[in-house]
Amino acid sequence: MWRLAYWTFSRVTGLSFRVQRRLSAAGLLALGTLIAAATLGIDTTQTLAYQVFALLAAVLAASLLATALLRQRFEATREIPRVITAGQPFEYRVVLANTGARELDGLALIEDAADPRPTYAEFRAGAGLPIYRNWWRLLMRSQVAHLEEARVPALAAGARVEIRMRGFAYRRGTLSLEAISVARLDPLGLSRAFTRIAQPAKVTVLPKRYAVPPLALPGSRMYQPGGVSLASSAGESEEFTSLRDYRAGDPLQRIHWKSFARTGTPVVREYQDEFFERHALILDTFAAPRDAAAFEEAVSIAASFAATLDTRDCLLDLLFVGAASYCFTAGRGQLQGAQLLEILAGVRACSDRPFRTLAQAVLAKRSMLSGGILILLGWDEPRRAFADALRRQGVPLLALVVTDTELGAAPAWLRRLRPARIQEDLARI
């Protein structure tokens, strides 16, 4: 049943796309009239609709055959932005060149995006029931952006023209472009011939962001293993200050071998302990399918904080769980806030791990954290226990819950953000 539904929905969607792409508005009207005439003209003794059907069938067939003779040669290059933002329009430039020997008109420029149809595994996991409405919902969810068709002025042989392409980003993710197609109307104006120019490209669509009020993160400076050099190297290296004589118990890794060889006595490097603020931005990714809207808002809230917080004198750890437990650090020579936004653009909900996976990953870093921003998708017992554990261990928290459900007897320090009124609720933090 599932495979039959998937095969049917996939084929119907593909056929609908090809028909709407190939035919002009007049061609679609002719096709609709053709179908109506075929329905009404089954009995040729009762109506003359069959004559309309025959005429339209011949005209559409001639139009489609003519498109085989209309394909021309073009060259195109695009200058597309590397990142765009969900919920906002965007535009970019395409330079189109007519490399043929004739002047051409009636042209249009169309972007060929990657096939948005979900795979069978995605359909089975996300549809709930094998009905077309659920298929359509998954199809719309996978469409990251809408790209408008652009009209091209008459183009002389060998001429170039600059076209402004416009679009609108629906949601965060990756916009995959495969090619640029140049469409040309046939003489009857019913169908279009296409010249496809391969131009693969990927654009990162960043999460939409909200205005965050000025926020003084709680917490104080903490000792950081690795010192300031943590910002530019991995492992347990520290900030070098001087050389001194060896003392019993010093690790052998700190011996300065050149000085040892020169003086004949052990000499070790001495390092300075460093203290600075390190905050955690903790994102709850454990969302059920019914919580998809709240999850997207939670990602947008995390992106808003990541883009707003000043990390010049502190570190900000973005922690979440996906295929594994992830921690990305920004500030003091590590990632930039813009790079955290690109990471958040690809975050997906986690459904195959328990919530304690996130709790364990955060609590393991407790000794280094000055404070944290906790963004939750609910207020059940595992989440309550996690927040209480952080507070008991002295980690100051700004705890936010993205939900439409009333929290009841929730603690006073917990803030609820309603998915439909995120900006309004954020302003009251």
Side-chain angles (χ1 to χ4, degrees), residues 118-394:
T119 64
Y120 174 74
E122 293 170 339
F123 175 60
R124 186 66 186 267
L129 293 174
I131 57 177
Y132 190 76
R133 184 177 69 175
N134 292 341
W135 165 268
W136 184 256
R137 175 173 52 83
L138 291 176
L139 187 67
M140 292 298 101
R141 188 186 301 171
S142 63
Q143 290 185 339
V144 175
H146 168 70
L147 294 163
E148 297 179 4
E149 181 178 312
R151 294 296 174 187
V152 179
L155 199 57
R160 293 177 177 269
V161 65
E162 179 180 311
I163 308 297
R164 304 299 296 185
M165 301 292 289
R166 293 178 173 83
F168 185 85
Y170 292 136
R171 56 187 58 83
R172 65 184 178 87
T174 301
L175 173 61
S176 297
L177 303 177
E178 296 182 345
I180 299 174
S181 289
V182 184
R184 185 184 179 195
L185 273 174
D186 77 295
L188 296 176
L190 300 179
S191 61
R192 303 190 293 184
F194 289 91
T195 301
R196 195 168 188 265
I197 307 167
Q199 287 279 324
K202 290 184 181 295
V203 182
T204 300
V205 184
L206 303 179
K208 67 179 180 180
R209 298 184 289 283
Y210 296 100
V212 178
L215 186 64
L217 290 178
S220 58
R221 294 175 179 266
M222 304 287 289
Y223 168 65
Q224 302 295 332
V228 175
S229 62
L230 174 69
S232 58
S233 62
E236 292 299 314
S237 59
E238 297 175 328
E239 184 70 8
F240 172 76
T241 57
S242 62
L243 298 173
R244 62 168 173 80
D245 292 337
Y246 176 84
R247 301 188 196 123
D250 285 336
L252 295 179
Q253 292 89 340
R254 294 192 176 184
I255 293 179
H256 193 256
W257 296 104
K258 290 183 178 180
S259 299
F260 187 10
R262 186 173 62 253
T263 63
T265 58
V267 176
V268 297
R269 301 180 185 90
E270 190 169 40
Y271 296 92
Q272 176 184 351
D273 291 340
E274 291 294 330
F275 294 81
F276 50 87
E277 292 184 10
R278 183 171 191 160
H279 300 282
L281 179 56
I282 307 164
L283 176 62
D284 179 0
T285 56
F286 300 88
R290 65 178 181 276
D291 298 325
F295 173 66
E296 290 301 321
E297 294 294 355
V299 174
S300 294
I301 295 167
S304 302
F305 282 111
T308 303
L309 297 178
D310 187 356
T311 57
R312 287 176 296 180
D313 297 318
C314 69
L315 295 179
L316 179 65
D317 290 335
L318 172 63
L319 296 113
F320 63 90
V321 175
S325 297
Y326 296 103
C327 176
F328 297 93
T329 303
R332 300 179 70 92
Q334 295 279 317
L335 300 176
Q336 301 297 319
Q339 292 173 293
L340 291 186
L341 297 183
E342 295 185 37
I343 292 167
L344 286 166
V347 171
R348 295 291 177 262
C350 180
S351 59
D352 58 348
R353 293 168 181 265
F355 182 82
R356 66 174 180 272
T357 309
L358 176 63
Q360 292 169 353
V362 176
L363 291 172
K365 292 180 172 292
R366 180 265 165 275
S367 62
M368 297 185 293
L369 297 179
S370 304
I373 300 172
L374 179 59
I375 304 172
L376 298 172
L377 296 173
W379 190 242
D380 51 16
E381 187 54 36
R383 291 173 171 87
R384 185 194 310 271
F386 172 49
D388 288 342
L390 283 175
R391 289 174 59 83
R392 282 196 306 269
Q393 295 188 35

Side-chain angles (χ1 to χ4, degrees), residues 14-25:
L15 177 62
S16 175
F17 171 77
R18 286 192 292 272
V19 169
Q20 293 182 33
R21 178 183 171 91
R22 176 68 65 177
L23 299 182
S24 65

